[in-house]
Amino acid sequence: MDKVADIASDIGEYIRQQRSSAKISLRQLSKLAGVSNPYLSQIERGVRKPSAEILQQIAKGLRISAEALYVQAGILDLPTGGPVGDAIRADAELTERQKQVLLDVYESFRRENAAASTTAPSTTAPKTTQETTEESA
């Protein structure tokens, strides 16, 4: 039972931090998310553990990805993505929305490169620096 209380407290603190960094009052977020002010306050204080649907509404109000809230709430596992994904997620200078956009772009490049490498395998050796320099001269 303590684990549930810890998760509720963690997600509440995370929502409070996101709201503060977005410079949105509790009442403003309540209106944006369509969640009652007292209920949202209870979530932030760790008294209540919100459902996935409520988290989605809060994410919409905060303009962050619902997945970020799901991970914090323990509904989803932290996505893997190697050192680049970890670095993006760890960057405190970025908003959750900025992080999600960067991760989406990064993953789209990875998928594109993976698809290209499976459909058109390279049969020529890579050019040396000298060959590249001579071609451009």
Side-chain angles (χ1 to χ4, degrees):
M1 194 62 146
D2 288 337
K3 187 174 181 181
V4 172
D6 289 344
I7 290 172
S9 176
D10 292 346
I11 188 63
E13 181 59 31
Y14 183 77
I15 291 169
R16 180 181 289 130
Q17 289 172 354
Q18 293 301 312
R19 182 176 57 76
S20 294
S21 68
K23 296 179 177 32
I24 299 173
S25 72
L26 189 67
R27 284 184 189 213
Q28 289 171 318
L29 180 56
S30 171
K31 286 183 181 181
L32 291 169
V35 177
S36 77
N37 192 36
Y39 184 60
L40 186 56
S41 176
Q42 290 174 347
I43 292 170
E44 284 194 0
R45 289 182 286 129
V47 176
R48 298 251 185 175
K49 184 174 186 270
S51 67
E53 184 179 318
I54 296 295
L55 287 174
Q56 185 174 14
Q57 290 173 240
I58 292 170
K60 185 178 178 183
L62 289 169
R63 296 183 185 225
I64 64 173
S65 74
E67 289 79 16
L69 289 182
Y70 295 160
V71 168
Q72 288 294 319
I75 295 171
L76 287 178
D77 290 331
L78 185 64
T80 58
V84 174
D86 292 344
I88 291 170
R89 283 185 210 91
D91 192 330
E93 299 289 318
L94 300 174
T95 66
E96 286 301 317
R97 178 157 166 61
Q98 291 168 333
K99 290 176 187 181
Q100 191 58 52
V101 169
L102 282 172
L103 289 168
D104 290 346
V105 170
Y106 176 66
E107 286 304 319
S108 72
F109 286 149
R110 289 177 49 96
R111 282 191 303 272
E112 183 180 307
N113 291 344
S117 68
T118 58
T119 58
S122 178
T123 56
T124 60
K127 295 181 181 180
T128 65
T129 306
Q130 184 176 355
E131 290 171 330
T132 306
T133 306
E134 289 172 356
E135 282 182 3
S136 60

